[in-house]
Amino acid sequence: MAEPEPAPAGLADAVLLAPLTEDSFLHNLHVRYKRDIIYTYVGNALVSVNPCRALPLYSAELVRTYLARPPYLLPPHLYAITATAYRWVRDRNENQCIVITGESGAGKTEAARVCLQCAVVAGGGGGGGGGALAAAGTLLEAFGNAATARNHNASRFGKLLDIEFDFKGEPVGGHITHYLLEKERVCRAAEGERNFHVLYQLLAGADAHLLKRLKLQRSWEQYRVLRGGAGCAAGACAGCAECAGAAGGAGAGGGASPRRAPPQPPPGPRAPQADRDHFAFTKAAMGALGFSAGQCGAVLRLLAFLLKLGNVQFEPQHNIDGSIGTRLQHEYELREACALVGVEADALVSALGAAPPLAAHDDTAPLEAACSVEEECSSEAGSETEGAGAEWARALRDRLLCALYSRLFTWLVNAVNDAIKPAVVGARRSLGILDVYGLESLAHNGLERLLINYAAERVQAAVTAATLRREQEEYAREGLAWTPLPYADHELYADLLDAGPESVLGTLRDCSARGASDSVFLQRLQRRRHPRLLVLPPDRFQVVHFGGAVVYSARGVVQKNRDALCRRCAAVLAAAREPLLAALFAAGSPRRPCALACRQRALVGALVRRLPPAPRLVRCLRADAALRPHRFDGALLRHQIRTQGIMDMALLRRAGWCESMCARSVVARYGVLRACAGAAAPASPVERDEPVRAARALLRSLPIPSAEFAYGRTKVFIRSPRTVWELEALRAARVEALVRAAQRAWRRHRARARHRAARRIALAWRRHRQRRAAPRAGGAAGATRVIWRAWCAHARRRYLAALWARLPARHRSPACAAWPPCPQPRLLARTDALLRRLHHRWRCHLYRRAFDQTARNRMREKVTASVLFKDRKLNYARSVGHPFVGDYVRLRASAAWRRGLGAAAADRYVVFADVVGKVARSSGRVSRCLAVVSTGALLLLEARSLRLKRRVPAHCVYRLSLSPYADDLLVVHVRACGGLESSTEELSQCSSREPLDAPGCLFGGEGAWRRRGDLLVRTCHVLELATKLFLVVQNAVGAPPHVNIATEFEANFGQQMVTVSFHAVGGAAGDGGARLLRRGSRMDVLL
């Protein structure tokens, strides 16, 4: 627990309050808030009260202070929570997650930014991955945040930022997961609110030349999508009750400004100077993330296209023939917008002005039917009601704007993820910062508000389950003396929205799938009769969330959930000359897109499953509904404290324990303190078998009060965060002492080794001096021998010193016989020959080591071909430089071959496959077929259908015959083996009515094998086929087949033995084609 601060500033940790009640807790927050102390601990969680103004509470030096000192010695701060999580990632190698919750306007976005900055500084500053992470936050804030009636800088999307750290604790990258951007704000911002920040930043911060290139004006009042609720055209937004009721006054209020204060003063937009500054920050962030100038320009052009397309209006007009058509207003805006991105303006007008389809099964007003956007646009629709065509065109325009901005935002998030992902892939630990939606209840609440509140509901339920229910269940499971504390179970609120097919989202999904209307959806909700669900006719329903009741509009909710886009409009944008716009609307899967509620439900479910069992909690509170500084609304804060379960958490922390660890983990992590405490002896077998007893003995030996620990069946519970930090400090001191002892031992070892080496050198030097000082005998003969030996040593040294520069290059083949000449053959001949042999063996070793298994197999085949055909086959020399490919038809990649067509499982591995010519033995004609050599047989298949024509097992091949010329004929001699080589098709052709020795029967009789005979094939890879077949037979039988190379040999043609004779006509070597002639018992091959 945190150290108590002076009484006038309240208590830093609310758990220490006496008595701990809601009133005392609120009074403590008020006392601290008046002194600009906005942070308060609740055990190991943090409560932050939004001051609604800037305070000097953040700096890099303060981050380093919280990293250097234990947090309980410093005042409560977001830096303390982030620094603690960072230490756990770096020291304990554990994933951490900081969950920031609170209502809209409570300061969650600012808290997430502070946590990110603290993590970056803690990891070593803003360079490298840390700078990219900070830039990513700035960029997404510009494109994803907007000013609402409750918040100047409200996040209109949820995000989870995972910061990855290396083993040194430095940030190396990250990943951002975003959840449901509120895209309807693009075409319709409520009164007193603003659109997304980047649209205002572009108009305020772009220079005159950029605005001229983008064909924009400086004043934001010129653009309908930026003028707020008063500028929304009547009926243009599906499901917008305000627009439907303001059809007559849309034109008069078109110039209203969101800076005008509504009845309750909203936060309003930022000043133009702030927008100019933030536009520079946004451009700098895009540059820091690696966006090219072309990508930045494409993004700005898409934003300008969105602004100008939003000004295009459609009005109904009466045609001469009495029909009602659609008239385009502000056509110049449309054509300028299309010219920016290279879109055909006429095609876009045609797609937007198409007649709406009839509402087939809806009994609502024509306006609702006109504003429902289907997947397909049909210009052959039936009769229209007056004004339905114009309303339909406006609805299509707004859908197109929403889809464009949503897809652009998704593209930006993906580009940011590519920029901040770690350069090296590997398993690392991460620190997650979750900034999810706050519960909202605005003037108009539609489908997107329902999904936003659903995400807040689910996260709140998960946090409550992690901090309240899970811990109490763990206390009971471990057998601790514990009285259960009551708490509000938020799972019941969340189950109303997504548990089962009768929930709100389940009913919406079913209605969207069946194409039902909004009235059917409301009827199904009314039939459920849930106490927290109330249907308010004619088109609204109320859901009681954990933070209060919210009324939602059901107008167009089913169609919005389908999230469909007109295919004709998408096709027009997909054909744009702007590459980014064409990529955003490129044709994808023909399947219907997943419903909006289903996508949000899947993302939130994955997020909840991903949260750790004990996340770091930051509870943000809003002190004033209008976000005015120096205001403290006690009733509002009391409501937030109750709905977020803060008092339940405080009571749990006061009566329970702040952290639990497995007893084995305690012994493993803090076992180094055993020797420090004087218990250096190893643990006994009883302690090793009972980790709780070992942990108890270890912790009792430390200078920490025993009351700080409680022992369950398998875990150890720690009372306060201060105790955890004392344990970590003791362990760090002990590890530092052990490291120093290891360093001292190493230095002693190195000094002793150096001393021994110095003694040996000194002894060797003294002996050398003694030998030189000794008198020498022998006179002139001795001097001659000394000179000769000196000259020989000099010659050897000079030879060896010069040899390395004259050696052959390493990359040359080992077959290269190059070797530098020996300078002194009489003296160095043996040495030179020995070094030459060693060098040759070394080069052969390098050559072999560079081979993988595939290269070894190919070399083996090439060596076998050299042994078989070198100087025996005329076309061998031309085949040396061509590698043996084997599978020339890519049979291994064929899906039909993998399914088992054409061969059994034993013949699945392909050694050789190519289209060959099978020679007919009767006439000598050649028919094409597919020859496949597997590890056990030679297969002949139909080239297209892979139907098996003949199978020759490897053990049946006993000879291969070829000619010495450069022809392409190969004869495979097959020994008599009965019907083993027959295919299923051939066996099925034998009639049961014929005798076994009847002509044409493949079974029985001693002449049956003769009718099969040998196999004659022609292929341009004849040497490769012969070599691979030779090796397959050798591996299968254990003995190689005989390879006969002659100009004449005999072959078994089934009924008789035929002599195959090769003739080189005109003395040619057979380089051209071969002609086969069959004459009785002879077959002549003319080359």
Side-chain angles (χ1 to χ4, degrees), residues 734-748:
R734 178 58 179 166
V735 169
E736 184 179 0
L738 292 176
V739 170
R740 290 180 178 176
Q743 290 175 344
R744 287 195 300 269
W746 165 248
R747 286 192 288 267
R748 283 197 302 268

Side-chain angles (χ1 to χ4, degrees), residues 831-850:
T831 303
D832 186 75
L834 177 61
L835 290 176
R836 186 172 184 174
R837 288 196 301 272
L838 291 175
H839 183 262
H840 178 71
R841 292 177 59 184
W842 175 70
R843 289 173 64 186
C844 292
H845 169 71
L846 292 181
Y847 187 74
R848 291 192 303 269
R849 193 174 62 180

Side-chain angles (χ1 to χ4, degrees), residues 51 84 356-357 386 459 529 540 596 695 714 720 809 1066:
T84 302
E386 182 172 356
V459 172
R529 300 184 181 278
R540 295 185 300 168
L596 201 62
T714 59
S720 66

Side-chain angles (χ1 to χ4, degrees), residues 17 19-31 632 634 638 641-642 647:
L17 290 172
L20 180 56
T21 61
E22 190 175 277
D23 293 333
S24 62
F25 185 88
L26 191 61
H27 175 73
N28 188 61
L29 289 182
H30 191 193
V31 170
F632 191 87
R638 189 185 301 271
I641 291 171
R642 289 176 179 175
M647 283 305 303

